Amino acid sequence: MKVLVTGATGYVGGRLVPELLAAGYDVRCLVRSPVKLSQVTWSDQVEAIEGDVGQPQTLAAAFEGIDVAYYLVHSLGSPEFEDTDRENAENFAEAAKRAGVQRLVYLGGLTPGGDDVSPHLRSRTEVGDILLASGVPTVAFRAAIIIGSGSASFEMLRYLTERLPVMVTPRWVRSLIQPIAIRDVLRYLVEAARLDPQVSRSFDIGGPDVLTYEQMMQRYARVAGLKHRLIVPVKALSPWLSAHWVGVITPVPSAIARPLVESLRNEVIAREHDIAAYVPDPPGGLIGLDRAVELALTKVREADVATRWTDASTLGAPSEPLPTDPDWAGGSLYVDSREAEVDASPEVLWRVIEGIGGQRGWYSFPLAWSVRGWLDRAVGGVGLRRGRRNPDHLKVGESLDWWRVEERIPGRLLRLRAEMRVPGLAWLELEVRQDPTRYHQRAVFHPRGLLGHAYWWSVAPFHSFVFGGMVRNIARTAEALEPAQTLAATVPSQEPDPGPPGNTVASPPDDTPQRFDSTSDNTLR
C-alpha cells in the first residue's frame, strides 16, 4: 500500500512516517522544501516530492498512485488561519478524489458542544467536515491535548509547572480535559489505513484520564519530583492576556499560545470511544497521563526527542533563502564578516560550531543575547526559549533558539536564518576553513524599509562585543578542547574531560550524551 503524508516535517508527521515504514507501507512525503527531509534518519526510505496544499497545481503529481493520504497540516498562529485551513483542505480533498485515493486520514481537535467554541477548534472541525464530504472514505480523528516529548501542549504544561511553584492562573485551569499520549495517537493513525472502505466518519480519541488543567499540573509535578504547586485561578486574565502570560513563561510564543489557550477554555472530552470497535485498545490499556509524562520526561532528559513542535516552519517567520549574489538586486545587504585562525583540528572546531545555542549559549555577551530574547518575546516573537532538539547534532529545518537551520554541510558550514521579530531578513553563517584551520563568521541583514536601515545602524555599535566575542570564544573553546581530544585518542578515559580550569565559556560538545536540567532557562552563558 502506498501512502502520502503531508506535514512530514511537523511534530506528528515526523513521528508517523517511521511508524508507517515499520508497518510495511510505501511512503511518499509532500513537503515544501525536500531538503528538510534530507537529514532525518529515514530520508532514504521515503519518496520526497515538492509541493504545497496551498498550491493545487502541485498536488496531482503527489497523489499519483496513492492509496491512503494523511492530512496533518494546519495554519495555527496565522492571522487568517481559518480561511487558509479551509482553502487548503478543499484543495487536498479535490486532488485526492480526482486521483482515486481510497482513504483519507486526518487528525483534528476535540470539539465541545454548544456555540462557544474557540476559532481554533472550530477550524479543525471544519477541515474534518470538508474531508468527510469529499466523496473519499475518510477517518477524522479528534483529540484534545497530545502529551509527548516536544509537543507544544506538553511544553506548555512542563514550563508552567516547573517554573511557577506558586501561580495566579486564568479560569481555564478548571476546564476538564482528556489528554492522550502521542504513542496512542500514532497507533490510531497507522491502523486507520487498514480500516474497511465502508468506514467514513469522525472518531473521538482520548486517554483514560479526564481531569482539569490544574490537576494535570499537579500530576506533572508529582511525576517530575516537584513539590505541590499552589494554584490560584482568577477571572481577570482574558485569553489575550493568558496567551502573553504563557508566551513569557514557556517556549511557546503568544501567536501559537493564544489559539491553544482559547481552546482550553472549553471542556474537551471524548463523547464516544467507538474507535475501539475497529482498533481495539492495547492489552495494557491506553497510556494514562502519569505514564505519558514519565515517557516524555525521559526523552527530554536523554536528549532523545525525535520531533518538536518547532520543527514545523513558524508562520509569519522569514523563509527566504540567503541571496547568493552579494550584489543582490533586491536591495541593500549589510554584512558583518569576521575570521580567526584556530589552533585546533577542523573536526574539533566543527563540533563546537554544531553544539552552539540552547543550554551552551552563543559564546558571547550573555546579557545582550538575553535582553534581545526577552524583547522578542515581549512583542510576540519566539525568543530564545525554543532551545535545541539535541545538544550535539543539528539537522536542516529544525529550530535553534530564535534561528532555524537553513543549511548544514557537515564539517564545513552551518547557516542559520533568524525568526526573531526584526524589520528585515537576517542570517548567521558559521564556517570551518582549512589550511590552516580558520573560523569564519558572517552575519547578513537585508533591511525592510527605512526602519530596517535604522535597526541595523542602531545595533551596529554592539557587533564588536557580540559577534567579535563569538569569534574569539568559539576559537578559544576549540583550542581548549583540542588537547583533550588528542589525549582521548591515545589514552582511553572513562570520564568526559571537564575542560580547562576556570573556563568561562560554555562547555563544548563531547561524545557522551549529556543530561540537562529541564527547568534551566536558556540564558546564554
Side-chain angles (χ1 to χ4, degrees):
M1 188 179 293
K2 194 173 185 68
V3 301
L4 174 70
V5 178
T6 62
T9 59
Y11 176 72
V12 175
R15 299 193 180 203
L16 174 63
V17 170
E19 298 294 327
L20 291 170
L21 291 170
Y25 293 114
D26 187 3
V27 180
R28 176 184 295 163
C29 298
L30 176 68
V31 288
R32 286 178 291 183
S33 177
V35 70
K36 292 182 68 173
L37 291 181
S38 63
Q39 296 179 23
V40 296
T41 56
W42 40 264
S43 61
D44 59 345
Q45 302 176 59
V46 303
E47 177 189 0
I49 186 166
E50 187 171 357
D52 189 336
V53 292
Q55 300 176 8
Q57 70 276 12
T58 67
L59 299 180
F63 276 103
E64 186 176 350
I66 292 296
D67 300 302
V68 177
Y70 287 85
Y71 191 75
L72 301 174
V73 296
H74 60 84
S75 305
L76 185 65
S78 170
E80 300 177 350
F81 70 89
E82 290 186 84
D83 293 337
T84 302
D85 279 346
R86 181 185 307 111
E87 181 178 345
N88 290 347
E90 290 171 348
N91 293 339
F92 186 85
E94 184 177 345
K97 184 176 182 180
R98 191 182 306 116
V101 172
Q102 299 173 18
R103 173 165 298 285
L104 301 179
V105 182
Y106 169 64
L107 177 62
L110 272 173
T111 306
D115 298 326
D116 185 25
V117 179
S118 72
H120 167 54
L121 292 181
R122 184 172 62 237
S123 176
R124 302 304 293 273
T125 299
E126 182 182 23
V127 168
D129 291 342
I130 291 171
L131 299 179
L132 286 164
S134 66
V136 180
T138 299
V139 169
F141 290 119
R142 301 189 299 196
I145 288 178
I146 296 178
I147 301 297
S149 59
S151 75
S153 296
F154 177 72
E155 291 296 285
M156 277 182 54
L157 176 66
R158 179 164 76 100
Y159 276 80
L160 287 174
T161 307
E162 293 188 352
R163 291 181 184 277
L164 301 174
V166 178
M167 64 187 94
V168 176
T169 61
R171 286 180 298 174
W172 51 256
V173 299
R174 296 283 172 86
S175 298
L176 287 174
I177 305 166
Q178 189 168 358
I180 183 170
I182 181 62
R183 296 191 183 195
D184 285 329
V185 172
L186 295 174
R187 187 173 61 88
Y188 285 135
L189 289 172
V190 172
E191 293 299 322
R194 301 189 177 101
L195 294 185
D196 188 281
Q198 300 301 317
V199 179
S200 184
R201 54 164 291 184
S202 61
F203 291 98
D204 290 356
I205 57 174
D209 299 309
V210 176
L211 61 175
T212 67
Y213 202 88
E214 178 181 359
Q215 291 171 327
M216 287 179 61
M217 288 190 284
Q218 300 292 10
R219 295 267 287 269
Y220 177 97
R222 187 175 64 199
V223 174
L226 304 173
K227 294 181 179 179
H228 186 82
R229 274 26 200 166
L230 179 59
I231 301 172
V232 183
V234 297
K235 298 181 179 181
L237 291 176
S238 67
W240 183 85
L241 285 174
S242 297
H244 280 277
W245 173 67
V246 170
V248 169
I249 301 299
T250 80
V252 182
S254 56
I256 294 178
R258 181 167 185 177
L260 294 178
V261 165
E262 289 178 336
S263 300
L264 289 172
R265 76 170 190 255
N266 301 122
E267 291 191 348
V268 280
I269 304 171
R271 288 167 290 185
E272 43 85 6
H273 189 50
D274 296 350
I275 187 61
Y278 305 94
V279 182
D281 293 347
L286 297 172
I287 299 173
L289 176 66
D290 291 359
R291 179 58 177 161
V293 168
E294 181 183 352
L295 291 169
L297 283 176
T298 299
K299 292 290 185 181
V300 170
R301 289 166 178 166
E302 294 181 353
D304 188 27
V305 179
T307 61
R308 302 174 68 207
W309 64 273
T310 56
D311 290 344
S313 298
T314 302
L315 290 163
S319 59
E320 293 87 341
L322 176 66
T324 56
D325 181 1
D327 298 321
W328 185 43
S332 302
L333 281 181
Y334 291 114
V335 178
D336 182 286
S337 184
R338 301 170 190 267
E339 186 172 283
E341 190 168 323
V342 183
D343 187 17
S345 68
E347 293 76 17
V348 169
L349 176 58
W350 171 251
R351 291 178 58 204
V352 176
I353 289 173
E354 193 174 19
I356 200 168
Q359 299 289 344
R360 293 191 180 99
W362 290 86
Y363 296 93
S364 91
F365 202 11
L367 181 60
W369 286 81
S370 297
V371 170
R372 185 63 183 86
W374 276 102
L375 290 174
D376 195 51
R377 300 288 292 187
V379 296
V382 296
L384 286 170
R385 289 216 185 101
R386 293 192 302 184
R388 51 183 293 158
R389 178 188 57 85
N390 183 286
D392 301 326
H393 305 292
L394 295 170
K395 61 182 181 180
V396 172
E398 73 175 337
S399 64
L400 174 59
D401 290 330
W402 64 43
W403 307 91
R404 190 166 296 277
V405 180
E406 181 173 282
E407 185 169 1
R408 173 184 173 272
I409 303 177
R412 189 179 129 200
L413 174 69
L414 179 65
R415 180 184 298 142
L416 308 174
R417 183 180 68 246
E419 291 189 337
M420 69 186 92
R421 298 286 182 93
V422 292
L425 306 173
W427 296 266
L428 179 63
E429 287 186 337
L430 299 82
E431 184 179 4
V432 177
R433 295 183 176 179
Q434 302 187 27
D435 301 324
T437 303
R438 288 165 293 151
Y439 170 62
H440 182 80
Q441 179 179 291
R442 187 170 73 132
V444 180
F445 182 68
H446 173 226
R448 184 181 297 117
L450 182 60
L451 184 60
H453 292 276
Y455 172 80
W456 173 264
W457 289 112
S458 68
V459 298
F462 302 100
H463 286 173
S464 61
F465 298 100
V466 177
F467 293 138
M470 282 184 66
V471 172
R472 291 189 298 271
N473 290 330
I474 286 175
R476 290 171 183 169
T477 302
E479 291 171 348
L481 183 61
E482 178 69 24
Q485 295 302 300
T486 302
L487 179 63
T490 57
V491 182
S493 172
Q494 296 185 4
E495 295 293 334
D497 189 277
N503 180 18
T504 58
V505 180
S507 301
D510 59 41
D511 290 331
T512 305
Q514 301 189 21
R515 293 177 181 240
F516 297 110
D517 177 9
S518 62
T519 66
S520 297
D521 195 358
N522 286 333
T523 303
L524 300 158
R525 56 191 185 279

